[in-house]
Amino acid sequence: MTQIAVVLKRDVASYAQLRHPTRREWLASSASVVAAALLQDAPADAAIIDAREASDASAAPLLDSSNAGQLVVADVSNVASESRLGQAAGAAFSRPKMGLVPANLGNRQKQLDRAWAAVNRCCTDLDKYQALMLLRDTESDVFLALAAEHAQDVLPILYTPTVAQACTHWSELLRRSPGLYISLDDQGRVPAVVNSWPEKDIRIAVLTDGERILGLGDIGANGMGIPVGKSTVYAIAAGIDPRQVLPVGLDTGCDVDEVRDAPFYAGLPRRRARGPEYDELVAETVAALRERYGPALLIHWEDFSSRNSYRLLQRFRDQGVPTFNDDIESTAAAVVAAVLGAARLQSVPPLAQQHFVFVGAGQANIGSARLLTRALVAEGLSQEEARSRMWLYDSKGLVYRGRKEGGLTPQKLEFARSEEEGRRLGGEAQFGVEAVGATCLVGAAARRGTFTRDALQALTRAVERRAGKGSRPIVLALSNPKESAECTAQEAYDYTSGAAVFASGTAFPPTSVNGQDREPAQANNSLVFPGIGLGCIAAGATQVTDGMMLEAARAVAAITSPADLRRDCVLPDASRLREVAVAVAAAVAAAAKAEGVSSSAALACLPELGHSTQRNENCLKSLQHELAAV
């Protein structure tokens, strides 16, 4: 009988410690789910055993003092009749000899069906969120398989929009720590706090200070729900082990009295720190994380306010830290992908002919304007001409130099129009879309009804005047939750007589327009950041560049299928998140190599990337194994 050693994944520092050239080793996160499904290439008589009891000496290299006594004992001889156990729908899970599960727990599919039935017995989405998070904490293998099988149903629960409810009630839902909390009280001893985290192999750290949670604003320590949600999406979409993604909540206070003074609020009961006190905690945290987990650790910034987001991103990028801001850069890549996807449709002007009006001049739209400028330059436009295609509106109106009302941040000044343009066009109704000849309207204003009937009809006239009769405008309503969207998909179609190509930050249901099926695309950054993380890990990226972000956007647009486009869906849907993440990772890794910001030790297979999804996935796995062994 072939013997296969199994070790609890949580009990070893990394897979590289267990690699052995002469035998197969399998890792599992829980003794109760050591499944035959893991044995994709095992021989028919395979049995999982305790490696300490292996009959041949080749198992000895698996053991060391750090994991001795913590190996799984299991026996799968009862399902040995299946020649390819990993593909056998009827294959049973192995039953541990220690009596930890009932006799008839069932095969993999039965366990997934049981778990999904339990989730669906919950009364509310928040209850479902709690049930899924409990499953994530206790049976991560089952959780990940369940999430992959029901991605389109699970993501709205674990991510947008239900995660907002979870954050609102976070202090009331507290269970065992899902991430690392670092507060102002920890200043001077942050390395000790970081060293208290049990996992030794972290590849991505997702940081938030909870000041600008989309749709909620400043919720302080309750913002931890966001990086926890991001870590889950990394696992579901990119297949990154959840233990290798560390959610970090920086508790620097909260300026909202209602949140801070709530009876169960678990964060610091003080107003937010500003200036050096804040900066020192952030710097100490990043330094401690890199000291413990190495300089290749990817720092992912999430939901920081504009006063901090841009400068922190630039500061640590200048220091050589591989880092990106999800709200600025991943959202921008999703927007560019939506525009590129729309341009694949008949009657939509190509990218080089697009002119953009942005309503809302915060992080999402500034980031989108920057990346679209880069994309236009790649199409042959000059930097000046590309930037002239961007028109920004904030709460005070058109952003232009010399504006008397409403200050202009350095980021807004990048795209501020001249004072003459401001005087001439600043008072134009409907965001001046006709006056400037806009072809694409991008909303991140978080105000329901911002895109009115008059504005969308004006946009339709503008695109026809610029690109010809029958040309179609692009409408991107990015704000979420749904109640904050600038318009609904149905409104966009109705107000443009069906001409609009629509995508949104939150999901809208399919509909029919003039007898044609329409499925609104969701321009969510979940299409982008999982692949960014996976590509950076695989390539050992030392920086995350604008070029890598543009390649990510192109990869998302390119993977949108002809079937999607026939339904006017310009982006792939959630059921293809894994495929999308692999394509994005391949593009990001290749761009990192081309720009000279990748590890040179483990990139031999990169020339093969891009030819097929399976080849990309195989190459990325190879890269990860090579990097783990370094």
Side-chain angles (χ1 to χ4, degrees):
M1 178 178 290
T2 303
Q3 296 172 335
I4 300 176
V6 177
V7 182
L8 282 175
K9 198 166 188 177
R10 63 172 176 265
D11 296 324
V12 296
S14 71
Y15 178 69
Q17 289 180 277
L18 298 180
R19 299 172 73 190
H20 190 269
T22 62
R23 67 184 291 114
R24 305 290 299 266
E25 304 97 31
W26 296 97
L27 302 173
S29 63
S30 168
S32 64
V33 290
V34 179
L38 290 173
L39 307 183
Q40 299 255 350
D41 302 308
D45 64 345
I48 302 176
I49 64 163
D50 185 330
R52 294 169 299 172
E53 299 175 359
S55 60
D56 62 286
S58 63
L62 289 170
L63 303 176
D64 61 31
S65 58
S66 67
N67 60 44
Q70 299 180 17
L71 302 182
V72 178
V73 179
D75 184 358
V76 294
S77 57
N78 60 318
V79 294
S81 60
E82 296 289 347
S83 61
R84 290 191 62 79
L85 300 176
Q87 298 177 6
F93 279 113
S94 55
R95 184 187 178 195
K97 294 178 181 178
M98 304 303 291
L100 300 179
V101 296
N104 190 27
L105 191 62
N107 62 27
R108 176 181 184 276
Q109 191 58 50
K110 188 173 182 179
Q111 291 199 36
L112 295 181
D113 291 345
R114 178 185 292 113
W116 189 236
V119 170
N120 284 316
R121 279 195 295 273
C122 296
C123 297
T124 67
D125 285 346
L126 186 58
D127 291 337
K128 291 178 181 180
Y129 174 90
Q130 290 181 269
L132 285 166
M133 292 303 292
L134 178 61
L135 186 65
R136 176 183 185 268
D137 291 343
T138 56
E139 297 287 359
S140 63
D141 292 36
V142 175
F143 167 79
L144 291 175
L146 187 74
E149 185 170 304
H150 299 279
Q152 287 181 290
D153 296 313
V154 165
L155 278 171
I157 297 171
L158 295 175
Y159 191 49
T160 303
T162 308
V163 70
Q165 296 180 48
C167 287
T168 300
H169 298 282
W170 193 258
S171 290
E172 304 161 31
L173 303 177
L174 279 177
R175 55 193 200 289
R176 77 178 185 86
S177 177
L180 193 65
Y181 292 91
I182 300 175
S183 78
L184 291 166
D185 290 347
D186 297 317
Q187 277 189 307
R189 57 186 180 94
V190 171
V193 177
V194 170
N195 288 335
S196 71
W197 190 249
E199 299 298 336
K200 299 177 182 178
D201 182 20
I202 300 295
R203 305 300 180 90
I204 303 173
V206 186
L207 278 65
T208 190
D209 67 358
E211 186 172 8
R212 195 207 65 88
I213 305 299
L214 193 60
L216 299 175
D218 184 357
I219 58 173
N222 291 339
M224 176 62 93
I226 298 299
V228 169
K230 297 289 180 178
S231 71
T232 301
V233 179
Y234 271 120
I236 294 171
I240 300 172
D241 189 325
R243 299 172 191 83
Q244 293 184 321
V245 183
L246 175 58
V248 179
L250 296 172
D251 187 355
T252 60
C254 177
D255 282 345
V256 177
D257 295 344
E258 182 182 357
V259 174
R260 190 183 61 248
D261 298 337
F264 298 114
Y265 181 60
L268 290 177
R270 56 159 287 174
R271 298 190 70 80
R272 282 195 172 273
R274 305 291 181 193
E277 185 180 17
Y278 177 93
D279 288 350
E280 288 167 10
L281 181 68
V282 175
E284 188 179 3
T285 298
V286 173
L289 289 168
R290 284 166 55 82
E291 176 65 28
R292 183 176 185 197
Y293 297 117
L297 177 71
L298 180 64
I299 303 294
H300 168 151
W301 305 96
E302 190 68 42
D303 288 335
F304 285 75
S305 71
S306 294
R307 78 178 77 201
N308 293 317
S309 57
Y310 298 106
R311 65 186 189 85
L312 291 177
L313 177 64
Q314 195 60 52
R315 174 183 301 171
F316 289 103
R317 185 170 282 173
D318 290 346
Q319 293 176 13
V321 177
T323 183
F324 73 100
N325 184 295
D326 193 41
D327 306 294
I328 298 171
E329 297 176 288
S330 298
T331 302
V335 167
V336 174
V339 173
L340 293 174
R344 295 174 61 188
L345 294 174
Q346 188 175 2
S347 302
V348 176
L351 175 62
Q353 296 179 20
Q354 293 286 339
H355 294 249
F356 303 88
V357 167
F358 297 88
V359 182
Q363 296 176 59
N365 273 353
I366 292 287
S368 297
R370 285 175 171 174
L371 197 60
L372 282 165
T373 298
R374 186 181 182 93
L376 287 171
V377 169
E379 291 289 308
L381 279 68
S382 69
Q383 181 80 13
E384 182 180 2
E385 185 181 4
R387 191 169 287 175
S388 73
R389 300 282 186 90
M390 313 295 158
W391 297 78
L392 266 64
Y393 283 77
D394 62 12
S395 60
K396 305 300 182 183
L398 179 65
V399 173
Y400 66 92
R401 297 177 184 275
R403 190 177 70 178
K404 295 179 180 179
E405 186 178 14
L408 299 184
T409 64
Q411 293 76 36
K412 290 182 183 180
L413 281 171
E414 288 182 45
F415 299 99
R417 313 303 299 197
S418 68
E419 189 168 359
E420 186 277 328
E421 288 175 309
R423 287 195 301 268
R424 180 166 52 88
L425 300 171
E428 285 284 334
Q430 319 311 332
F431 312 111
V433 292
E434 280 195 274
V436 304
T439 59
C440 178
L441 188 58
V442 186
R447 291 195 310 273
R448 179 74 180 86
T450 298
F451 292 171
T452 63
R453 179 189 298 271
D454 288 344
L456 293 174
Q457 288 177 344
L459 179 68
T460 306
R461 292 191 296 270
V463 70
E464 288 192 332
R465 187 173 297 121
R466 182 176 289 281
K469 186 72 173 175
S471 296
R472 303 180 64 188
I474 301 172
V475 179
L476 305 179
L478 302 179
S479 296
N480 57 58
K482 190 175 296 185
E483 293 74 24
S484 298
E486 287 74 20
C487 69
T488 67
Q490 195 64 55
E491 288 168 344
Y493 299 141
D494 290 346
Y495 298 163
T496 62
S497 301
V501 178
F502 180 84
S504 57
T506 191
F508 284 98
T511 186
S512 178
V513 178
N514 300 325
Q516 179 191 7
D517 290 339
R518 297 279 181 94
E519 186 172 336
Q522 188 173 3
N524 194 287
N525 52 19
S526 61
L527 291 169
V528 177
F529 76 81
I532 294 288
L534 180 59
C536 287
I537 291 172
T542 57
Q543 293 180 41
V544 184
T545 67
D546 293 341
M548 292 159 71
M549 287 293 174
L550 181 55
E551 290 306 315
R554 288 171 171 162
V556 174
I559 206 171
T560 305
S561 71
D564 292 328
L565 295 174
R566 282 194 293 272
R567 300 190 304 273
D568 249 34
C569 186
V570 297
L571 294 167
D573 64 37
S575 67
R576 300 176 64 202
L577 272 185
R578 174 60 181 164
E579 185 183 354
V580 174
V582 169
V584 170
V588 166
K593 181 183 180 184
E595 295 189 37
V597 295
S598 63
S599 163
S600 60
L603 299 177
C605 72
L606 273 181
E608 301 178 7
L609 287 172
H611 295 295
S612 74
T613 298
Q614 185 60 54
R615 183 176 294 178
N616 290 345
E617 188 152 4
N618 290 341
C619 181
L620 288 165
K621 287 179 179 178
S622 173
L623 288 171
Q624 288 176 293
H625 289 166
E626 290 298 321
L627 288 163
V630 172

